[in-house]
Amino acid sequence: MRIKCRKSTLSSGLAIVSKAVSTKTTSPILECVLLQATGGQVTLTANNLELGIETVIEATVLEEGKVALEAKLFTDIIRSLPDSEVDMETTSDIRVDIHCEKARFTIPCRNGDEFSLLPNIEKEKSIQISQLALRDVIRQTIFSISDNENARMMTGVSLEVMDNRLIVITLDGHRISRRKIDLRGDNPDVSVVVPGKTMQELSKIINGGNDDLVDIYFTDQHLQFEYDQTRVVSRLLEGEYFKIASMMSIGHSMKVKANKKELMAIIDRARLLIQETDKKPIIVSVKNDGNLYVRLDTNLGSMNEEMEIEKEGDEIIIGMNPKFLGDALRVIDDDEVEFYMSDSKNPLIIKNEKEDYVYIILPISINTDIYR
Amino acid sequence: MRIKCRKSTLSSGLAIVSKAVSTKTTSPILECVLLQATGGQVTLTANNLELGIETVIEATVLEEGKVALEAKLFTDIIRSLPDSEVDMETTSDIRVDIHCEKARFTIPCRNGDEFSLLPNIEKEKSIQISQLALRDVIRQTIFSISDNENARMMTGVSLEVMDNRLIVITLDGHRISRRKIDLRGDNPDVSVVVPGKTMQELSKIINGGNDDLVDIYFTDQHLQFEYDQTRVVSRLLEGEYFKIASMMSIGHSMKVKANKKELMAIIDRARLLIQETDKKPIIVSVKNDGNLYVRLDTNLGSMNEEMEIEKEGDEIIIGMNPKFLGDALRVIDDDEVEFYMSDSKNPLIIKNEKEDYVYIILPISINTDIYR
């Protein structure tokens, strides 16, 4: 194999595929990136068997071939080169020469045939969405997946297409996040659960705007994201996702409208008094005087603060994990947020009227009598 | 004690003194910051018994007094408050109320009498230097102190005033860094060794420019830096510093003039092939063809690169730790650097003609025959 290409082109391509390189593995080939030079182009591929990424870069192919290179070292070397033309050539079965201006590197390589290529994905069912919207929806839901591998379905992100809307759901047993996005045109109904890691890595490499589109293809076992010269293939999590319909239709006896920034600042202040191992809730109470009160007592100290809100319905006292409340508020782009509650035992729900977003947070049980 | 002051004023003051707060200690008082309210001002102090910092902030003192507060929590709380007036009051011997707009915190405190105040420093011997120059000279020397506590003098920075110049030296047994700064006026001759940690923390809080001055006071046991409303007091390291005069006067049989940026890029590339535990040197050779060659072979691969240089004297081959070479080049602000060498067994010296800076690096022994 011998190719020539711009350093910047190669470097950008490597930055994309490196998101699918295994870091902790006993199989060295999973730490590699594959270069395939055919026709007038070079395809870069990384594949950790759960997530695989392939991107095609512009290059001059002087000799066709393929070779696998240790991804981190290769990426670091290319990044370090001057912004000029890179000339790469396999000099034997186990060595590659990299040449750029006066710099010459020789590094070991592996036979490209050892490498597991990405599966071909059937393109029967697909939707199209803007890169910006996809990136946003990942950011707005990913924080409430679980990292407990024993609850494997909770480590995933549920993607459902229904009535020409994409519904994204994550949950971790204490809270549920749901976002809806309207899709253009006619879309097939599908329902899959994608590993959270896939969505996290995807959101790092999809950096287009509102007019840049990404195609998503669904099969029984895989999901493929395709945009520009890149395709990202992920295995799906097998199994049934959680039924959340009953949670979504929980009634409420009161509603609060609050300034988001002000409330977030109060919650962030309260969190200063909570140590990592501490599970102390903040006590949120909404009173007929038109104020929302937050207070907290921990080993570190105590705090209380109030803010004006708009309220409909009864007074309430509820115990909340301030991190969960903060996580949800942080990803809501509205200036004003609306909360729905009924009592200290039932969930707090943050949603907008159109229900583009719904965040449900279970309360922490408290003795409400002592806080009245 | 009761004081009122701007949140931003208090926060800036805490950011300064917190550099002298102990983080790993079994003595809780060392993790505290002391607030002393007297007359019309509040003094903040932190003191880890090696390094102490004191800064005076503007405040309204409603009731004089002093109190010690856990520095991290207190700093985090103040930082989290709205940019408004903070009202602080001790409500008992063990509690302080902090109030800002609608936010109220109550945190534990300690009796201010437990706290070790900074010593009063005799102001007999002093020099004055710009904050920018002091910050620069720390950055340009601090990297070559040792972190080996068994070689305690090597963990310090030697400050010497002689003939109205400040000479700053660090060394770690493999390399020596020396910088000289001309001082204005008539200055006393002094020679002290300051803990490296003091200099590191100092460079983080001194952020003035060329026209902002800092006074440095020398005593037998302490050093005091004084600027604006802040004084920084450090213990000195006791003992004799190393005599480096003989190293400074080493002869040379050849001289190389090279573009600094180009050479640094080559060295940074070579370092990619060196793993942490690896002590492989880069092989630097300067030939009569007017080129400097760098090459390296390690388990990860091999590299070689050349660059044009100006040379006076013989050809040379020398083994170098690329990190040491890179560290020195990185802090030299000139575009062109000059190296002086004699053979593969003697140090490489980087210095400018005026000897404002001298960096001496011991070579790594190599078998020069195999590289010819």
Side-chain angles (χ1 to χ4, degrees):
Chain A
M1 188 195 82
R2 185 167 178 203
I3 59 167
K4 285 186 183 185
C5 67
R6 295 292 311 173
K7 173 251 166 132
S8 52
T9 309
L10 184 52
S11 202
S12 309
L14 287 169
I16 293 170
V17 300
S18 66
K19 299 287 184 287
V21 172
S22 278
T23 46
K24 292 175 216 151
T25 171
T26 49
S27 169
I29 193 75
L30 298 183
E31 294 175 4
C32 287
V33 59
L34 178 74
L35 276 75
Q36 290 172 282
T38 43
Q41 65 186 34
V42 170
T43 307
L44 307 176
T45 312
N47 186 3
N48 66 25
L49 305 183
E50 179 170 276
L51 171 67
I53 308 178
E54 190 182 278
T55 195
V56 177
I57 62 169
E58 254 183 70
T60 310
V61 176
L62 300 169
E63 191 193 339
E64 297 197 339
K66 61 181 174 179
V67 64
L69 293 162
E70 206 272 290
K72 182 166 184 327
L73 178 63
F74 180 52
T75 304
D76 286 348
I77 287 175
I78 298 301
R79 195 187 298 131
S80 80
L81 295 174
D83 191 10
S84 182
E85 192 183 60
V86 180
D87 186 344
M88 282 185 63
E89 185 175 10
T90 47
T91 51
S92 74
D93 283 354
I94 54 160
R95 298 220 158 263
V96 172
D97 265 11
I98 302 165
H99 189 187
C100 180
E101 291 191 352
K102 289 178 178 171
R104 285 173 190 278
F105 279 88
T106 304
I107 57 171
C109 63
R110 289 171 173 272
N111 189 325
D113 293 329
E114 284 180 49
F115 199 92
S116 306
L117 292 174
L118 303 197
N120 272 320
I121 298 299
E122 210 176 275
K123 296 196 166 179
E124 209 173 289
K125 290 183 188 171
S126 76
I127 63 169
Q128 200 173 52
I129 182 178
S130 92
Q131 295 187 24
L132 181 65
L134 183 58
R135 203 165 60 237
D136 274 350
V137 82
I138 295 172
R139 174 178 61 85
Q140 289 160 342
T141 54
I142 196 74
F143 60 87
S144 60
I145 61 172
S146 168
D147 55 7
N148 178 359
E149 281 297 327
N150 294 325
R152 196 152 162 72
M153 290 310 278
M154 287 193 190
T155 66
V157 177
S158 161
L159 301 186
E160 198 179 353
V161 179
M162 207 168 49
D163 303 334
N164 295 317
R165 283 197 297 194
L166 172 67
I167 302 158
V168 181
I169 301 167
T170 61
L171 54 83
D172 66 1
H174 305 286
R175 49 186 170 163
I176 303 172
S177 305
R178 191 188 75 182
R179 286 264 171 176
K180 281 187 188 169
I181 300 172
D182 290 328
L183 299 172
R184 279 184 229 165
D186 227 20
N187 297 275
D189 285 1
V190 291
S191 174
V192 299
V193 183
V194 192
K197 183 88 179 134
T198 292
M199 300 306 271
Q200 269 157 344
E201 298 303 339
L202 187 69
S203 74
K204 291 179 199 159
I205 58 174
I206 290 195
N207 44 33
N210 217 4
D211 295 333
D212 303 304
L213 298 174
V214 49
D215 290 300
I216 312 181
Y217 299 94
F218 299 86
T219 73
D220 286 347
Q221 296 197 307
H222 292 97
L223 193 66
Q224 174 166 309
F225 301 88
E226 209 175 304
Y227 69 99
D228 306 335
Q229 298 299 308
T230 301
R231 73 180 178 112
V232 177
V233 177
S234 173
R235 273 187 193 277
L236 297 174
L237 293 185
E238 280 174 54
E240 189 98 8
Y241 200 64
F242 308 89
K243 302 283 172 235
I244 62 161
S246 63
M247 290 291 282
M248 286 292 151
S249 58
I250 284 175
H252 63 271
S253 61
M254 61 120 29
K255 176 178 163 185
V256 169
K257 190 171 178 180
N259 179 285
K260 191 198 81 164
K261 222 168 149 184
E262 202 179 334
L263 181 56
M264 258 184 63
I266 295 178
I267 291 165
D268 285 344
R269 278 192 280 277
R271 289 183 64 186
L272 297 175
L273 296 180
I274 298 185
Q275 284 164 308
E276 259 178 54
T277 50
D278 207 343
K279 298 235 164 106
K280 272 257 174 169
I282 52 169
I283 312 299
V284 178
S285 42
V286 182
K287 299 207 169 151
N288 286 335
D289 63 5
N291 281 316
L292 179 148
Y293 297 83
V294 172
R295 66 191 131 157
L296 177 65
D297 284 284
T298 73
N299 294 336
L300 294 182
S302 61
M303 68 82 70
N304 68 73
E305 189 161 351
E306 73 233 39
M307 67 180 282
E308 281 175 37
I309 45 99
E310 285 174 41
K311 161 174 163 297
E312 289 171 25
D314 303 335
E315 293 196 327
I316 192 175
I317 298 182
I318 190 168
M320 278 276 127
N321 180 326
K323 179 177 184 306
F324 292 173
L325 207 48
D327 283 348
L329 292 174
R330 210 171 306 280
V331 297
I332 293 174
D333 296 326
D334 298 338
D335 294 336
E336 301 281 326
V337 286
E338 288 175 350
F339 291 72
Y340 299 83
M341 292 172 276
S342 24
D343 57 41
S344 68
K345 307 236 179 311
N346 273 295
L348 175 150
I349 300 166
I350 312 174
K351 60 182 180 185
N352 64 350
E353 214 166 306
K354 284 172 60 192
E355 299 201 358
D356 292 336
Y357 61 81
V358 181
Y359 293 99
I360 300 181
I361 304 172
L362 297 186
I364 297 178
S365 155
I366 53 168
N367 179 348
T368 55
D369 290 339
I370 64 170
Y371 292 110
R372 273 186 213 286
Chain B
M1 187 196 80
R2 184 167 178 204
I3 60 167
K4 285 187 183 184
C5 67
R6 295 292 313 172
K7 173 250 168 136
S8 51
T9 308
L10 184 52
S11 202
S12 310
L14 287 170
I16 292 170
V17 299
S18 66
K19 299 288 184 290
V21 172
S22 278
T23 47
K24 292 175 215 151
T25 171
T26 48
S27 169
I29 193 76
L30 297 182
E31 293 174 4
C32 288
V33 58
L34 179 73
L35 277 75
Q36 291 171 280
T38 44
Q41 64 186 33
V42 170
T43 306
L44 307 175
T45 313
N47 186 2
N48 65 24
L49 304 184
E50 179 170 275
L51 171 66
I53 307 178
E54 189 182 278
T55 195
V56 177
I57 62 168
E58 252 184 71
T60 309
V61 176
L62 301 168
E63 191 193 338
E64 297 198 339
K66 61 181 174 180
V67 65
L69 293 161
E70 205 273 289
K72 183 167 183 326
L73 178 64
F74 180 52
T75 305
D76 287 347
I77 287 175
I78 299 302
R79 194 187 299 130
S80 81
L81 295 174
D83 192 10
S84 182
E85 192 183 59
V86 180
D87 186 343
M88 282 185 64
E89 185 175 9
T90 46
T91 51
S92 74
D93 283 354
I94 54 160
R95 298 219 159 264
V96 172
D97 265 11
I98 303 165
H99 188 187
C100 180
E101 292 191 352
K102 290 178 179 171
R104 283 173 191 279
F105 279 88
T106 304
I107 57 171
C109 64
R110 290 171 171 272
N111 189 324
D113 292 330
E114 286 180 48
F115 199 93
S116 307
L117 292 174
L118 302 197
N120 272 319
I121 298 299
E122 209 176 277
K123 296 197 167 180
E124 208 173 291
K125 290 183 187 170
S126 76
I127 62 169
Q128 200 174 52
I129 181 176
S130 93
Q131 295 187 24
L132 181 66
L134 182 57
R135 205 166 58 236
D136 274 351
V137 82
I138 296 172
R139 173 177 62 85
Q140 289 159 343
T141 54
I142 197 73
F143 60 87
S144 60
I145 60 172
S146 169
D147 55 7
N148 179 357
E149 282 296 329
N150 293 325
R152 195 152 163 72
M153 291 310 277
M154 287 192 190
T155 66
V157 176
S158 160
L159 301 186
E160 198 178 354
V161 179
M162 208 168 49
D163 302 335
N164 295 317
R165 284 197 296 195
L166 172 66
I167 303 158
V168 181
I169 301 167
T170 62
L171 54 83
D172 66 3
H174 305 285
R175 50 186 171 162
I176 303 172
S177 305
R178 190 188 76 182
R179 286 264 172 176
K180 282 187 188 170
I181 299 173
D182 289 328
L183 300 171
R184 277 185 232 166
D186 226 20
N187 297 276
D189 285 2
V190 292
S191 174
V192 299
V193 183
V194 192
K197 183 89 179 132
T198 292
M199 300 307 269
Q200 269 156 345
E201 299 303 338
L202 188 70
S203 74
K204 291 179 199 160
I205 56 174
I206 290 194
N207 44 32
N210 216 5
D211 294 334
D212 302 303
L213 298 174
V214 50
D215 289 300
I216 311 180
Y217 299 95
F218 300 86
T219 73
D220 287 347
Q221 296 196 308
H222 292 96
L223 194 66
Q224 173 166 310
F225 300 88
E226 208 175 307
Y227 69 100
D228 306 335
Q229 297 301 306
T230 302
R231 73 179 177 113
V232 177
V233 178
S234 173
R235 272 187 193 276
L236 297 174
L237 294 185
E238 279 175 53
E240 190 97 9
Y241 200 65
F242 308 90
K243 302 284 173 233
I244 62 162
S246 63
M247 289 291 282
M248 287 291 152
S249 59
I250 283 175
H252 63 271
S253 62
M254 60 122 25
K255 177 179 163 184
V256 169
K257 190 171 178 178
N259 178 285
K260 192 199 79 164
K261 223 168 148 183
E262 201 178 334
L263 181 56
M264 258 185 63
I266 296 178
I267 290 165
D268 285 344
R269 279 192 279 278
R271 289 182 65 187
L272 297 175
L273 296 180
I274 298 185
Q275 284 163 308
E276 259 179 54
T277 51
D278 207 344
K279 298 236 165 104
K280 272 256 174 171
I282 52 169
I283 311 300
V284 178
S285 42
V286 181
K287 298 207 169 149
N288 286 334
D289 63 6
N291 282 316
L292 179 149
Y293 297 82
V294 172
R295 68 190 130 157
L296 177 64
D297 285 284
T298 74
N299 295 336
L300 293 183
S302 62
M303 68 82 71
N304 69 72
E305 190 161 351
E306 73 232 39
M307 67 180 281
E308 280 176 36
I309 45 97
E310 285 173 41
K311 160 175 165 296
E312 288 170 26
D314 304 335
E315 293 195 329
I316 193 174
I317 299 183
I318 190 167
M320 278 278 128
N321 180 326
K323 179 176 186 305
F324 292 173
L325 207 48
D327 283 349
L329 292 174
R330 210 172 306 280
V331 298
I332 293 174
D333 296 326
D334 297 338
D335 294 336
E336 301 280 327
V337 286
E338 288 176 348
F339 291 73
Y340 299 82
M341 292 172 274
S342 24
D343 56 42
S344 67
K345 307 235 179 311
N346 273 295
L348 174 149
I349 301 165
I350 312 174
K351 60 182 180 184
N352 64 352
E353 214 165 307
K354 284 171 62 192
E355 299 200 359
D356 292 336
Y357 62 81
V358 181
Y359 293 99
I360 300 181
I361 304 172
L362 297 186
I364 296 178
S365 155
I366 53 168
N367 180 349
T368 56
D369 290 339
I370 63 169
Y371 293 110
R372 270 186 215 286

